[in-house]
Amino acid sequence: MIRADLLKTVEPRVVYLAMASAVVLTLMASYLYLFKKPQLEYSRLKQARVLLEAKVDAGGYLTGQIETLRGNVAQLTRRLQGESPLLPVSEMVAHAVDRLDQISQSHDIRFVGIKPGQPKTIPMFEEIPFAMEVSGSYFSLYQWLHDVEQALGPMVVKRVELRPQSSPRDLQMKLEMVSYRPSTEDM
């Protein structure tokens, strides 16, 4: 124990300072060892809760975003496969001829003729060739070709031949187009 005569030699101010220091050090030690870690964990959990609540509140936004992405996928699928339904080859030719005739009428194109070729299978696709002959103005032919690709796609123009007709504004276009569709053997 501390002797009383030693205490009498020390100034009271130093004794009070030592006692205050002991209290401060005890409080700091208890904060560092007992309260700091749980308080940081509590702050982290509180922040995580706020973020999770924001995510739950934004659920409607995510649903809208999912619907937008589904629409994009459908649009890309239509762009890849065209608007044509997946029909057997014999029905596909009849459908293509009908759609070509409709598109030709809407663009003031004279549809001279079409000759479907023999379908052949290449890896993962069926290739259906068409030899066509149409006539009309340059811009009508251009728009017609664009609409044919959209309606019957995916179609690839393999060969094109343009010749002027008797009228300087009219052109005769002979072309060979090939329609591709997923092979039914690979599915």
Side-chain angles (χ1 to χ4, degrees):
M1 259 216 178
I2 301 178
R3 290 198 242 158
D5 58 333
L6 184 62
L7 230 91
K8 288 182 184 176
T9 59
V10 178
E11 288 184 40
R13 190 174 61 183
V14 173
V15 172
Y16 293 136
L17 183 61
M19 287 175 32
S21 295
V23 169
V24 167
L25 287 174
T26 304
L27 289 174
M28 280 181 55
S30 65
Y31 171 74
L32 290 174
Y33 293 112
L34 297 175
F35 298 118
K36 184 178 181 183
K37 202 173 198 179
Q39 189 176 23
L40 289 174
E41 181 69 14
Y42 175 76
S43 297
R44 188 185 66 77
L45 290 173
K46 188 175 180 181
Q47 187 177 18
R49 180 178 177 218
V50 168
L51 288 173
L52 288 173
E53 285 176 349
K55 293 271 186 194
V56 168
D57 291 342
Y61 169 73
L62 292 177
T63 303
Q65 201 172 23
I66 289 170
E67 290 304 316
T68 302
L69 292 173
R70 281 188 181 144
N72 290 348
V73 167
Q75 182 182 13
L76 289 172
T77 302
R78 279 193 308 275
R79 187 172 168 198
L80 177 66
Q81 296 177 352
E83 296 174 7
S84 299
L86 284 175
L87 300 169
V89 176
S90 59
E91 292 178 32
M92 174 65 182
V93 171
H95 174 75
V97 169
D98 182 49
R99 286 296 291 144
L100 286 168
D101 189 42
Q102 291 173 4
I103 295 169
S104 297
Q105 288 176 4
S106 70
H107 290 290
D108 195 29
I109 297 290
R110 285 170 300 291
F111 195 61
V112 178
I114 182 169
K115 181 181 175 192
Q118 196 65 355
K120 57 183 173 174
T121 302
I122 57 174
M124 296 176 47
F125 292 100
E126 284 182 278
E127 184 180 76
I128 305 169
F130 295 95
M132 295 179 240
E133 190 174 332
V134 294
S135 64
S137 72
Y138 177 81
F139 293 108
S140 295
L141 288 171
Y142 173 80
Q143 191 60 44
W144 175 85
L145 196 55
H146 179 267
D147 288 354
V148 165
E149 181 186 19
Q150 294 296 316
L152 296 174
M155 288 189 100
V156 176
V157 177
K158 281 198 164 181
R159 187 180 54 82
V160 175
E161 183 182 320
L162 281 173
R163 279 191 248 149
Q165 285 192 312
S166 57
S167 167
R169 293 178 36 104
D170 281 347
L171 297 171
Q172 181 181 16
M173 180 167 67
K174 288 184 179 181
L175 67 151
E176 183 181 338
M177 294 183 83
V178 180
S179 176
Y180 292 97
R181 56 189 222 148
S183 177
T184 54
E185 295 171 4
D186 294 338
M187 290 183 179

